[in-house]
Amino acid sequence: MDWTEVLFLLTLLLYAVASVALLAGYIGCNSRAKTAASVISLAAFAIHSVLLAAVMSGAWESTGRSWYLLPLSWAFVGIGVIMWQWQKTTVQLLFIPPVAFILLMVALLSGTNGIGSTQAMTGPIFTLHLISVSIGLGLITVAAGAAVIFLWQQKKLKAKAALSGLRNDLPAMTTLDRINGLATLTGFPFYSLGVICGFAWARLAWGSVFSGDPKEIVSIVIWAFYALLFHQRQALGWRGRKPALMALGLFGASLFSLLVVNFLLPTRHAFLFTL
């Protein structure tokens, strides 16, 4: 086990600890636990950044079919940290570190088996594709996290449940709806740019813009619903339950694309290429 593998396991551990600590902090209305969770999340993100730099520099060769999950999970946490500082609430961290932990765990369990990425997966277009899609998906994760809490609070409100414990310590529903809206407003342009760059890169790498690959089809479906949510919020002023439900649907479709399509379906995007 070299130093990069140690960093990977440490990052995984810290995301798990941060997830548990923040959940405990909100359930117990404990500000110290939430502060500790925030510090741990920042430490995990810092180590994650070093690990990602090692991959990009070629110092870590254990990439394989799941290598894309490393920058993707890093982008998720980075977006969560930015939204945390922007909105001055740690509620985003309730969902971002757990998602990062799951993605890194999938990367760990999938192994390498001498499999890596091709030379085609380099260059500015592919890099812009990966970065833009990661930011777009990171923001929809933030929107989905806010949506879960919004819908839960709405259910409690309709049931006329008293404000106590966890619910009393969470942001107001208007704040959660605003987070959902901001994440959608900024996330859709990034995701759109990522999809455009992805098809441009496919033309250069594989000779065709669209081949009917399952990953391409799912990406177009996700983009269409992302566009609908963006339009309904910006043009028609959607607020509350409908955009919250759509954000959750988009997050579920994104996980399907990342974990089911890439690993279980016959797709050129599975990154099963011989070195």
Side-chain angles (χ1 to χ4, degrees), residues 60-66 107-116 272:
W60 190 37
E61 299 179 354
S62 298
T63 50
R65 69 181 297 185
S66 58
L108 178 66
L109 296 178
S110 66
T112 58
N113 298 320
I115 300 168
L272 294 175

PDB file of all heavy atoms in Angstrom, residues 60-66 107-116 272:
ATOM      1  N   TRP A  60      -0.459   8.362  -9.166  1.00  0.00           N
ATOM      2  CA  TRP A  60      -1.295   7.246  -8.711  1.00  0.00           C
ATOM      3  C   TRP A  60      -1.835   6.526  -9.927  1.00  0.00           C
ATOM      4  O   TRP A  60      -2.559   7.084 -10.732  1.00  0.00           O
ATOM      5  CB  TRP A  60      -2.451   7.758  -7.847  1.00  0.00           C
ATOM      6  CG  TRP A  60      -3.208   6.658  -7.161  1.00  0.00           C
ATOM      7  CD1 TRP A  60      -2.720   5.513  -6.636  1.00  0.00           C
ATOM      8  CD2 TRP A  60      -4.624   6.621  -6.914  1.00  0.00           C
ATOM      9  NE1 TRP A  60      -3.722   4.759  -6.084  1.00  0.00           N
ATOM     10  CE2 TRP A  60      -4.901   5.410  -6.237  1.00  0.00           C
ATOM     11  CE3 TRP A  60      -5.669   7.491  -7.204  1.00  0.00           C
ATOM     12  CZ2 TRP A  60      -6.180   5.057  -5.848  1.00  0.00           C
ATOM     13  CZ3 TRP A  60      -6.937   7.127  -6.806  1.00  0.00           C
ATOM     14  CH2 TRP A  60      -7.191   5.936  -6.133  1.00  0.00           C
ATOM     15  N   GLU A  61      -1.491   5.279 -10.066  1.00  0.00           N
ATOM     16  CA  GLU A  61      -1.881   4.529 -11.248  1.00  0.00           C
ATOM     17  C   GLU A  61      -3.115   3.669 -11.032  1.00  0.00           C
ATOM     18  O   GLU A  61      -3.603   3.027 -11.954  1.00  0.00           O
ATOM     19  CB  GLU A  61      -0.725   3.635 -11.715  1.00  0.00           C
ATOM     20  CG  GLU A  61       0.522   4.435 -12.097  1.00  0.00           C
ATOM     21  CD  GLU A  61       1.654   3.538 -12.539  1.00  0.00           C
ATOM     22  OE1 GLU A  61       1.494   2.287 -12.424  1.00  0.00           O
ATOM     23  OE2 GLU A  61       2.688   4.063 -12.976  1.00  0.00           O
ATOM     24  N   SER A  62      -3.641   3.624  -9.829  1.00  0.00           N
ATOM     25  CA  SER A  62      -4.804   2.791  -9.528  1.00  0.00           C
ATOM     26  C   SER A  62      -6.085   3.511  -9.916  1.00  0.00           C
ATOM     27  O   SER A  62      -6.858   3.955  -9.079  1.00  0.00           O
ATOM     28  CB  SER A  62      -4.835   2.438  -8.031  1.00  0.00           C
ATOM     29  OG  SER A  62      -3.711   1.702  -7.670  1.00  0.00           O
ATOM     30  N   THR A  63      -6.275   3.660 -11.215  1.00  0.00           N
ATOM     31  CA  THR A  63      -7.461   4.365 -11.684  1.00  0.00           C
ATOM     32  C   THR A  63      -8.508   3.374 -12.141  1.00  0.00           C
ATOM     33  O   THR A  63      -9.417   3.043 -11.431  1.00  0.00           O
ATOM     34  CB  THR A  63      -7.093   5.348 -12.801  1.00  0.00           C
ATOM     35  OG1 THR A  63      -6.314   4.652 -13.781  1.00  0.00           O
ATOM     36  CG2 THR A  63      -6.281   6.488 -12.240  1.00  0.00           C
ATOM     37  N   GLY A  64      -8.372   2.821 -13.332  1.00  0.00           N
ATOM     38  CA  GLY A  64      -9.291   1.796 -13.797  1.00  0.00           C
ATOM     39  C   GLY A  64     -10.649   2.334 -14.197  1.00  0.00           C
ATOM     40  O   GLY A  64     -10.834   3.518 -14.431  1.00  0.00           O
ATOM     41  N   ARG A  65     -11.630   1.433 -14.259  1.00  0.00           N
ATOM     42  CA  ARG A  65     -12.938   1.781 -14.803  1.00  0.00           C
ATOM     43  C   ARG A  65     -13.678   2.815 -13.981  1.00  0.00           C
ATOM     44  O   ARG A  65     -14.565   3.500 -14.476  1.00  0.00           O
ATOM     45  CB  ARG A  65     -13.785   0.523 -14.948  1.00  0.00           C
ATOM     46  CG  ARG A  65     -14.211  -0.092 -13.633  1.00  0.00           C
ATOM     47  CD  ARG A  65     -15.031  -1.354 -13.822  1.00  0.00           C
ATOM     48  NE  ARG A  65     -16.280  -1.093 -14.520  1.00  0.00           N
ATOM     49  CZ  ARG A  65     -17.218  -2.013 -14.716  1.00  0.00           C
ATOM     50  NH1 ARG A  65     -17.012  -3.244 -14.290  1.00  0.00           N
ATOM     51  NH2 ARG A  65     -18.322  -1.721 -15.339  1.00  0.00           N
ATOM     52  N   SER A  66     -13.354   2.920 -12.714  1.00  0.00           N
ATOM     53  CA  SER A  66     -14.074   3.844 -11.839  1.00  0.00           C
ATOM     54  C   SER A  66     -13.299   5.127 -11.579  1.00  0.00           C
ATOM     55  O   SER A  66     -13.651   5.885 -10.683  1.00  0.00           O
ATOM     56  CB  SER A  66     -14.362   3.154 -10.499  1.00  0.00           C
ATOM     57  OG  SER A  66     -13.154   2.733  -9.899  1.00  0.00           O
ATOM     58  N   ALA A 107     -15.869   3.140  -6.181  1.00  0.00           N
ATOM     59  CA  ALA A 107     -14.567   3.129  -6.847  1.00  0.00           C
ATOM     60  C   ALA A 107     -13.634   2.111  -6.194  1.00  0.00           C
ATOM     61  O   ALA A 107     -12.895   1.401  -6.881  1.00  0.00           O
ATOM     62  CB  ALA A 107     -13.942   4.518  -6.801  1.00  0.00           C
ATOM     63  N   LEU A 108     -13.675   2.036  -4.869  1.00  0.00           N
ATOM     64  CA  LEU A 108     -12.821   1.093  -4.145  1.00  0.00           C
ATOM     65  C   LEU A 108     -13.212  -0.343  -4.431  1.00  0.00           C
ATOM     66  O   LEU A 108     -12.358  -1.202  -4.697  1.00  0.00           O
ATOM     67  CB  LEU A 108     -12.907   1.375  -2.639  1.00  0.00           C
ATOM     68  CG  LEU A 108     -12.113   0.446  -1.721  1.00  0.00           C
ATOM     69  CD1 LEU A 108     -10.620   0.608  -1.958  1.00  0.00           C
ATOM     70  CD2 LEU A 108     -12.442   0.729  -0.263  1.00  0.00           C
ATOM     71  N   LEU A 109     -14.516  -0.623  -4.407  1.00  0.00           N
ATOM     72  CA  LEU A 109     -14.987  -1.997  -4.578  1.00  0.00           C
ATOM     73  C   LEU A 109     -14.896  -2.480  -6.023  1.00  0.00           C
ATOM     74  O   LEU A 109     -14.798  -3.677  -6.272  1.00  0.00           O
ATOM     75  CB  LEU A 109     -16.436  -2.107  -4.095  1.00  0.00           C
ATOM     76  CG  LEU A 109     -16.665  -1.856  -2.602  1.00  0.00           C
ATOM     77  CD1 LEU A 109     -18.148  -1.943  -2.275  1.00  0.00           C
ATOM     78  CD2 LEU A 109     -15.872  -2.843  -1.757  1.00  0.00           C
ATOM     79  N   SER A 110     -14.923  -1.543  -6.981  1.00  0.00           N
ATOM     80  CA  SER A 110     -14.877  -1.961  -8.382  1.00  0.00           C
ATOM     81  C   SER A 110     -13.505  -2.456  -8.787  1.00  0.00           C
ATOM     82  O   SER A 110     -13.366  -3.226  -9.736  1.00  0.00           O
ATOM     83  CB  SER A 110     -15.298  -0.807  -9.287  1.00  0.00           C
ATOM     84  OG  SER A 110     -14.356   0.247  -9.216  1.00  0.00           O
ATOM     85  N   GLY A 111     -12.451  -1.999  -8.076  1.00  0.00           N
ATOM     86  CA  GLY A 111     -11.106  -2.481  -8.370  1.00  0.00           C
ATOM     87  C   GLY A 111     -10.574  -1.949  -9.685  1.00  0.00           C
ATOM     88  O   GLY A 111     -11.208  -1.160 -10.380  1.00  0.00           O
ATOM     89  N   THR A 112      -9.385  -2.408 -10.053  1.00  0.00           N
ATOM     90  CA  THR A 112      -8.740  -1.939 -11.270  1.00  0.00           C
ATOM     91  C   THR A 112      -8.522  -3.058 -12.272  1.00  0.00           C
ATOM     92  O   THR A 112      -8.845  -2.948 -13.427  1.00  0.00           O
ATOM     93  CB  THR A 112      -7.384  -1.297 -10.938  1.00  0.00           C
ATOM     94  OG1 THR A 112      -6.567  -2.249 -10.269  1.00  0.00           O
ATOM     95  CG2 THR A 112      -7.562  -0.082 -10.045  1.00  0.00           C
ATOM     96  N   ASN A 113      -7.936  -4.152 -11.829  1.00  0.00           N
ATOM     97  CA  ASN A 113      -7.698  -5.303 -12.700  1.00  0.00           C
ATOM     98  C   ASN A 113      -6.965  -4.937 -13.990  1.00  0.00           C
ATOM     99  O   ASN A 113      -7.233  -5.460 -15.058  1.00  0.00           O
ATOM    100  CB  ASN A 113      -9.037  -5.977 -13.078  1.00  0.00           C
ATOM    101  CG  ASN A 113      -9.761  -6.499 -11.854  1.00  0.00           C
ATOM    102  OD1 ASN A 113      -9.139  -7.040 -10.952  1.00  0.00           O
ATOM    103  ND2 ASN A 113     -11.065  -6.330 -11.821  1.00  0.00           N
ATOM    104  N   GLY A 114      -6.038  -3.993 -13.872  1.00  0.00           N
ATOM    105  CA  GLY A 114      -5.242  -3.640 -15.031  1.00  0.00           C
ATOM    106  C   GLY A 114      -5.985  -2.862 -16.090  1.00  0.00           C
ATOM    107  O   GLY A 114      -5.572  -2.792 -17.229  1.00  0.00           O
ATOM    108  N   ILE A 115      -7.102  -2.278 -15.728  1.00  0.00           N
ATOM    109  CA  ILE A 115      -7.926  -1.547 -16.686  1.00  0.00           C
ATOM    110  C   ILE A 115      -7.721  -0.054 -16.482  1.00  0.00           C
ATOM    111  O   ILE A 115      -7.621   0.428 -15.372  1.00  0.00           O
ATOM    112  CB  ILE A 115      -9.416  -1.901 -16.511  1.00  0.00           C
ATOM    113  CG1 ILE A 115      -9.612  -3.386 -16.732  1.00  0.00           C
ATOM    114  CG2 ILE A 115     -10.294  -1.112 -17.454  1.00  0.00           C
ATOM    115  CD1 ILE A 115     -10.973  -3.876 -16.313  1.00  0.00           C
ATOM    116  N   GLY A 116      -7.685   0.664 -17.555  1.00  0.00           N
ATOM    117  CA  GLY A 116      -7.471   2.101 -17.436  1.00  0.00           C
ATOM    118  C   GLY A 116      -8.165   2.851 -18.536  1.00  0.00           C
ATOM    119  O   GLY A 116      -8.906   2.287 -19.329  1.00  0.00           O
ATOM    120  N   LEU A 272     -13.989   0.594 -19.942  1.00  0.00           N
ATOM    121  CA  LEU A 272     -13.326  -0.714 -19.919  1.00  0.00           C
ATOM    122  C   LEU A 272     -12.389  -0.812 -21.128  1.00  0.00           C
ATOM    123  O   LEU A 272     -12.678  -1.475 -22.107  1.00  0.00           O
ATOM    124  CB  LEU A 272     -14.356  -1.829 -19.957  1.00  0.00           C
ATOM    125  CG  LEU A 272     -15.259  -1.946 -18.741  1.00  0.00           C
ATOM    126  CD1 LEU A 272     -16.304  -3.013 -18.948  1.00  0.00           C
ATOM    127  CD2 LEU A 272     -14.432  -2.262 -17.505  1.00  0.00           C
TER     128      LEU A 272
END
